[in-house]
Amino acid sequence: MSNDQFFTATALHSWKQVVGRYSDGIAPRTDEELQKRVAPGKNRLYYLLGHLTAVHDRLFPLLGIGERLRPDLDAAFISNPDGTLPDPLSGAELKALWNEINTKLTAALERLTPQQWLEKHTAVSDEDFAKDPTRNRLAVVLSRTNHLSYHTGQAVLAK
Amino acid sequence: MSNDQFFTATALHSWKQVVGRYSDGIAPRTDEELQKRVAPGKNRLYYLLGHLTAVHDRLFPLLGIGERLRPDLDAAFISNPDGTLPDPLSGAELKALWNEINTKLTAALERLTPQQWLEKHTAVSDEDFAKDPTRNRLAVVLSRTNHLSYHTGQAVLAK
């Protein structure tokens, strides 16, 4: 492997590890348990799962690697806070969707060449990218990996 | 810049962003506020800050980039859970130490060449590294960046 390939393999390994850790924590939770809150008055596990699912679904167009599976979920899980809209899916359906989206995402990321990891993501203009070339696909994936870790830290607090 | 340099610059940018976000959240907290818990019965903000400070201090020897500043803090913040030992420092002292350690760490990371980012960290044997060359310095930094995000997600819950 070249240096380039080691860099992308290491970043991808971190992504898979963090997705795997959260998925393992969520897998055994029943629909009832997903209704628990991470702390009094804070988000339900169900809402966090929906939020993370919608945010990861948005990575397909943001990284230019495919079409979204469920753009309709943004209203319940991104545009509005927990409890605003009726829950659009059961907990079991949401868990299945989370797994489906991440399996497809990871497969698409594995197909990227090192050069493609360094290309700009679709939400930055050519002009802005010329000024700051770290606004690339890798930056987005590192950012979303950390976003997932942030909410994983919250999810483990639910009692 | 070469591809190698873009990869390391992007990873370093993510590290700085996550350290900056947590530091900004902690900076205005008084010693009294640092005694708040992230959720009922869970860690105090003070303990989390000490834990993160000690874990980041350990990066100097783990990455082979310097000596630890305060190995004596492991007992209070890594080997034992919150509330086991007396608090070794005031909140203000701990915040100053957090900033000092991260300033030195970031400066040391900025001096690493791309090749050095891909070298093994000091806790993996030559043999194991030959089997899995993603056990490099970059993997450690990505892992600690996510560890910090994990606890940042908890810290924002404290009321």
Side-chain angles (χ1 to χ4, degrees):
Chain A
M1 293 215 297
S2 66
N3 272 5
D4 279 11
Q5 288 167 320
F6 279 121
F7 281 117
T8 58
T10 306
L12 203 48
H13 185 262
S14 169
W15 159 266
K16 287 183 199 171
Q17 202 165 41
V18 173
V19 169
R21 184 174 56 171
Y22 175 75
S23 302
D24 289 348
I26 277 301
R29 300 277 195 174
T30 62
D31 281 28
E32 198 184 331
E33 286 174 326
L34 289 174
Q35 295 299 317
K36 291 181 181 177
R37 295 182 185 278
V38 301
K42 304 289 182 177
N43 291 324
R44 290 171 300 156
L45 291 177
Y46 173 88
Y47 180 82
L48 277 191
L49 176 59
H51 173 69
L52 290 165
T53 300
V55 166
H56 283 210
D57 193 29
R58 287 168 89 143
L59 282 173
F60 290 108
L62 182 57
L63 296 174
I65 55 176
E67 295 292 319
R68 294 192 60 174
L69 278 70
R70 293 294 300 266
D72 58 298
L73 296 183
D74 287 9
F77 296 122
I78 294 185
S79 326
N80 290 291
D82 193 5
T84 313
L85 298 181
D87 292 341
L89 295 172
S90 73
E93 287 167 338
L94 203 46
K95 283 200 284 188
L97 184 61
W98 163 259
N99 288 327
E100 183 184 359
I101 285 174
N102 284 286
T103 300
K104 286 189 177 166
L105 264 180
T106 300
L109 292 175
E110 282 177 330
R111 284 191 294 269
L112 291 176
T113 65
Q115 191 55 47
Q116 287 174 321
W117 276 93
L118 293 177
E119 288 168 1
K120 79 181 189 71
H121 57 76
T122 63
V124 64
S125 69
D126 289 338
E127 209 174 358
D128 287 343
F129 185 63
K131 280 181 218 154
D132 180 5
T134 66
R135 298 179 71 176
N136 50 41
R137 285 192 179 96
L138 174 61
V140 172
V141 174
L142 295 182
S143 168
R144 291 310 176 277
T145 306
N146 276 280
H147 174 254
L148 177 54
S149 288
Y150 180 95
H151 289 305
T152 301
Q154 298 177 334
V156 298
L157 298 174
K159 284 195 273 206
Chain B
M1 292 218 297
S2 66
N3 272 5
D4 279 10
Q5 288 168 321
F6 279 122
F7 280 117
T8 59
T10 305
L12 203 47
H13 186 263
S14 170
W15 160 265
K16 288 183 197 171
Q17 203 166 41
V18 172
V19 168
R21 182 173 58 170
Y22 175 76
S23 302
D24 289 350
I26 277 301
R29 301 279 195 171
T30 62
D31 281 28
E32 199 184 329
E33 286 173 327
L34 289 174
Q35 295 299 317
K36 290 181 182 175
R37 294 183 187 276
V38 302
K42 304 290 182 177
N43 291 324
R44 291 171 299 155
L45 291 177
Y46 173 88
Y47 181 82
L48 277 191
L49 176 58
H51 173 69
L52 291 165
T53 300
V55 166
H56 283 209
D57 193 29
R58 288 168 88 142
L59 282 173
F60 290 108
L62 183 55
L63 297 174
I65 56 176
E67 294 292 318
R68 294 192 62 172
L69 278 72
R70 294 292 301 265
D72 58 300
L73 296 182
D74 287 9
F77 296 124
I78 295 185
S79 327
N80 289 291
D82 193 4
T84 311
L85 297 182
D87 292 341
L89 294 172
S90 73
E93 288 167 338
L94 203 46
K95 282 200 285 188
L97 183 62
W98 164 258
N99 288 326
E100 184 185 357
I101 285 174
N102 285 285
T103 301
K104 286 189 177 166
L105 263 182
T106 300
L109 293 175
E110 282 177 330
R111 284 192 294 270
L112 292 177
T113 64
Q115 191 56 46
Q116 287 173 322
W117 278 92
L118 293 178
E119 288 167 2
K120 78 181 190 68
H121 57 76
T122 63
V124 64
S125 68
D126 289 337
E127 208 175 1
D128 287 343
F129 185 63
K131 279 182 218 152
D132 181 4
T134 66
R135 299 180 69 176
N136 50 41
R137 286 192 179 95
L138 174 61
V140 172
V141 173
L142 295 181
S143 168
R144 290 311 176 276
T145 307
N146 277 281
H147 175 254
L148 177 53
S149 288
Y150 179 96
H151 288 305
T152 301
Q154 298 177 333
V156 299
L157 298 174
K159 283 197 274 207

